[in-house]
Amino acid sequence: MAETAAPGPARVLLAAPRGYCAGVDRAVQTVERALDLHGAPVYVRKEIVHNKHVVQELSKRGAIFVEEETEVPEGEMVVFSAHGVSPAVHAAASSRRLHTIDATCPLVTKVHVEARRFAADGYTIVMIGHEGHEEVEGTTGEAPDSIVLVQTAEEVEGLEVRDPNRVAFITQTTLSVDETAEIIAALRAKFPAIVSPKSDDICYATTNRQIAVKQLARECELVLVIGSTNSSNSNRLVEVAREHGSASHLIDNHTQVREEWLEGVETVGITSGASAPEELVEQLVELFRKRGASDVSELRTVDEDVRFMLPKEIREQLAVGT
Ligand code: SF4
């Protein structure tokens, strides 16, 4: 869209919280620090976080993104992404003598630990998640013989397990809170003895961004979500906004806004997925300011103060350098 196009919405409302979560912040910083400490190249298995802009910026600094650890030359450094990897990937990296830095989000690691524990205790584990998502692949790899994947409440009906009295469930961290509650209700109806994790697997950032976008959708005719198409939590934000009364679209950045979306829109809402940098939000706000928006404010629903320490491999090297 041309930045000098016809006037746009008079009001811009920003969801808060939005954008980077503690796990993404840690993962991106991990690659940046690895580049500072070792120089280029630093290999990264898969996109460090699901955001095109972040991947492009890190590539410019010398990160090389690969699909599999087998593409990394023997003995080189590789960072594992925030979505986590299976034990088989760790083993393959070790057999290639790779120097690994694990940027798996601690909240994904929590789900891996649950999977191992439930499997060791003899449970069939129902994993609620999206087939093919890296996080699901990594978690499933912890106990491939014990985990079955379920994507919808309808799928629960046909689910066959070894012992209906020994079933547990875990979930991907970035799902729709409401849809997952429906699937869990269907699981509890089918397997009354089903065991749950001690605390929710859907992470605080996913939950809080969905709470914020629900409120935003009630006040706007249009909600724009900044995030990449492969970002699970960003896609969920679009769905939640639509379910709560607003039109909504996922965009990588301000250049993807379409003129026809703005017709009749007085208030446009903006939020961003957990892997989308704030500068992309700022550029979008700037676009609307140039088109005449005079009222730009934030709609805060939840305060966040979660921070994670950098991976120990980076902390140890930083300590040596001080
Ligand atoms: S979205 Fe949640 S699980 Fe994923 S990296 Fe962020 S905090 Fe961790």
Side-chain angles (χ1 to χ4, degrees), residues 20-25 27 49 82-83 104-108 135 173-174 201-206 233 274-275 306 308:
Y20 267 24
C21 60
V24 163
D25 190 37
V49 298
H83 306 102
T104 302
C105 176
L107 300 182
V108 172
E135 183 186 325
T173 56
T174 50
D201 289 335
I202 297 181
C203 76
Y204 80 95
T206 299
N233 80 89
S275 44
V306 181
F308 295 133

Side-chain angles (χ1 to χ4, degrees), residues 272-294:
S272 48
S275 44
E278 183 64 10
E279 63 179 287
L280 301 178
V281 172
E282 286 162 9
Q283 289 165 6
L284 183 58
V285 171
E286 190 50 31
L287 169 75
F288 288 122
R289 281 194 200 278
K290 282 186 178 153
R291 293 179 53 127
S294 52

Side-chain angles (χ1 to χ4, degrees), residues 47-103:
E47 293 189 348
I48 183 73
V49 298
H50 285 157
N51 187 271
K52 259 192 208 166
H53 179 82
V54 171
V55 169
Q56 279 166 3
E57 290 303 304
L58 291 172
S59 299
K60 281 185 207 157
R61 291 197 50 193
I64 297 179
F65 291 87
V66 295
E67 276 305 299
E68 299 300 338
E69 61 289 350
T70 46
E71 297 166 51
V72 182
E74 292 216 3
E76 288 290 333
M77 169 168 291
V78 63
V79 179
F80 292 148
S81 80
H83 306 102
V85 297
S86 68
V89 172
H90 279 287
S94 162
S95 74
R96 296 178 65 74
R97 295 180 301 104
L98 302 182
H99 299 284
T100 58
I101 301 177
D102 191 354

